Amino acid sequence: MHDKAARKPLPVAMIVFDGVALFEMAVASDVFGTDITPADGGPLYRLSICGPSPAVMTESHFKMEVPNSLDIVSSAHTIVVPPGMFPGHEVPGAVLDSLRRARAEGKRILSLCSGAFVLAAAGLLDGHTATTHWSECAELARMYPRVRVDPRVLYVDEGNLLTSAGSAASLDLCLHVVQRDYGTEIAARIARDLVVPLHRPGGQAQYIETPMPSPAEPDLFGDTLAWMREHLQEPVTVSDLAERAAMSPRTFARRFLASTGTTPLQWILAERIRLAQRLLETTGLPVDAIAHQSGFGTADNLRKHFGRTVRTTPQSYRRAFQAPASLQPAIT
């Protein structure tokens, strides 16, 4: 067990230039500039705003001072690139050079919304899968044919290269990064502080058509979702859930997909994985007990699904995150 001095906040550099979008910039500032702390009381991140000039004109047409030059990128662990005014907006060469150096040094780089165009302009996305706002995916693919553009997902995590879809998906990606660094419990605390759900899975659809229920009728569908979260340890089928929601299995599955962007079984699996992560982080329960409480039944079944989703074993995850305050997260 390391003492408090052994852990330093992860330095995050957010690059801004003329036309920077304020929403995504605010999202990154809220998440990586959070006042929430782990057990040792120290900050999770040290956020610095930087750019190629001492002031920028935002997309909202007011001037904003930039406190740091791009030199600070060299000492950052993570670089955040918010979107500019519009796709194809001219990116300063100094920004592209800085990103290329950061990539060569193995730093973690994430783009928010159409910030993916900046990464693509620097050549960082060549040969990689990436996403951006659904309305701009076709343009990204046209301008940069060497990039595999996936318009169906909220964000793409390729280890040290991460891209998000539009606006709200930027928050999903930032919380995903916190969860990677410090575990589910800390990410959940930040999400609660921001009054948002912990996260939506990256593979969820960008655009989800959500039918509006009639105000006069009881929301049996919503009640069923709440029941599912409280009974993850119980074996359930789509037929069981449809019956509880007073729908046919086909209607329930269709409405579930339209409302959540995923299937009932995929949703349950993701919720069970998150519950197992939380139990591994916050309790000393043996893996067998966690498998039972999270609905996987056996430790072998938990290990199989955990490995596929989290890409590690439950025990390795516990060692990495049960006491994250004492550890300096590594770039993976």
Side-chain angles (χ1 to χ4, degrees):
M1 185 73 68
H2 300 275
D3 59 21
K4 179 177 177 178
R7 186 188 70 83
K8 295 180 180 179
L10 294 179
V12 177
M14 179 157 52
I15 298 177
V16 299
F17 53 92
D18 283 342
V20 63
L22 296 178
F23 180 86
E24 287 80 4
M25 183 179 174
V27 164
S29 296
D30 271 350
V31 174
F32 298 116
T34 180
D35 291 331
I36 287 173
T37 63
D40 68 9
L44 302 174
Y45 300 95
R46 186 179 72 250
L47 176 65
S48 301
I49 310 298
C50 64
S53 58
V56 297
M57 185 64 70
T58 71
E59 67 166 353
S60 299
H61 306 292
F62 65 83
K63 204 168 187 179
M64 181 181 71
E65 291 186 359
V66 180
N68 300 285
S69 73
L70 290 171
D71 291 343
I72 204 167
V73 171
S74 63
S75 59
H77 169 282
T78 298
I79 295 96
V80 180
V81 182
M85 189 176 296
F86 53 87
H89 183 71
E90 185 175 349
V91 182
V95 170
L96 301 180
D97 290 341
S98 184
L99 288 170
R100 292 178 186 122
R101 285 193 297 270
R103 179 64 174 164
E105 293 166 0
K107 297 180 184 297
R108 182 169 62 190
I109 304 172
L110 52 143
S111 67
L112 307 180
C113 192
S114 58
F117 283 82
V118 181
L119 270 56
L124 272 57
L125 298 182
D126 289 355
H128 291 276
T129 300
T131 194
T132 187
H133 192 284
W134 62 268
S135 66
E136 295 164 355
C137 282
E139 181 69 1
L140 181 63
R142 184 192 67 78
M143 291 179 64
Y144 302 101
R146 296 185 64 186
V147 181
R148 295 188 296 269
V149 180
D150 189 345
R152 302 166 299 173
V153 298
L154 293 177
Y155 56 83
V156 175
D157 180 346
E158 289 206 349
N160 282 352
L161 199 60
L162 304 94
T163 54
S164 84
S167 298
S170 300
L171 182 54
D172 293 305
L173 177 58
C174 289
L175 288 172
H176 168 73
V177 168
V178 175
Q179 187 173 19
R180 251 180 59 171
D181 290 341
Y182 292 99
T184 306
E185 183 66 21
I186 293 292
R189 286 173 57 195
I190 295 175
R192 286 194 296 271
D193 189 56
L194 296 173
V195 199
V196 296
L198 169 56
H199 86 294
R200 295 176 292 171
Q204 182 170 311
Q206 285 198 33
Y207 179 75
I208 301 170
E209 181 182 354
T210 306
M212 294 298 291
S214 168
E217 65 185 30
D219 187 8
L220 293 177
F221 182 77
D223 291 344
T224 300
L225 291 183
W227 181 89
M228 288 166 66
R229 283 194 173 94
E230 295 172 1
H231 296 80
L232 291 172
Q233 75 280 12
E234 299 179 15
V236 293
T237 65
V238 174
S239 295
D240 295 334
L241 298 171
E243 184 177 356
R244 176 171 287 275
M247 300 177 187
S248 71
R250 179 173 295 180
T251 299
F252 179 82
R254 184 170 59 247
R255 182 169 176 187
F256 198 99
L257 181 62
S259 299
T260 68
T262 188
T263 68
L265 295 182
Q266 289 171 333
W267 185 91
I268 291 172
L269 175 61
E271 290 292 317
R272 284 173 171 165
I273 288 290
R274 284 201 290 273
L275 176 56
Q277 287 176 303
R278 193 177 185 112
L279 292 172
L280 287 165
E281 294 167 19
T282 60
T283 76
L285 290 171
V287 172
D288 284 339
I290 290 175
H292 175 73
Q293 288 196 22
S294 57
F296 287 104
T298 67
D300 285 344
N301 201 31
L302 170 61
R303 291 187 189 99
K304 179 181 72 174
H305 290 289
F306 204 87
R308 288 176 179 173
T309 304
V310 190
R311 290 176 286 185
T312 189
T313 65
Q315 290 289 18
S316 294
Y317 185 88
R318 167 173 273 166
R319 284 193 296 270
F321 289 120
Q322 192 167 48
S326 65
L327 299 175
Q328 173 76 21
I331 300 178
T332 57

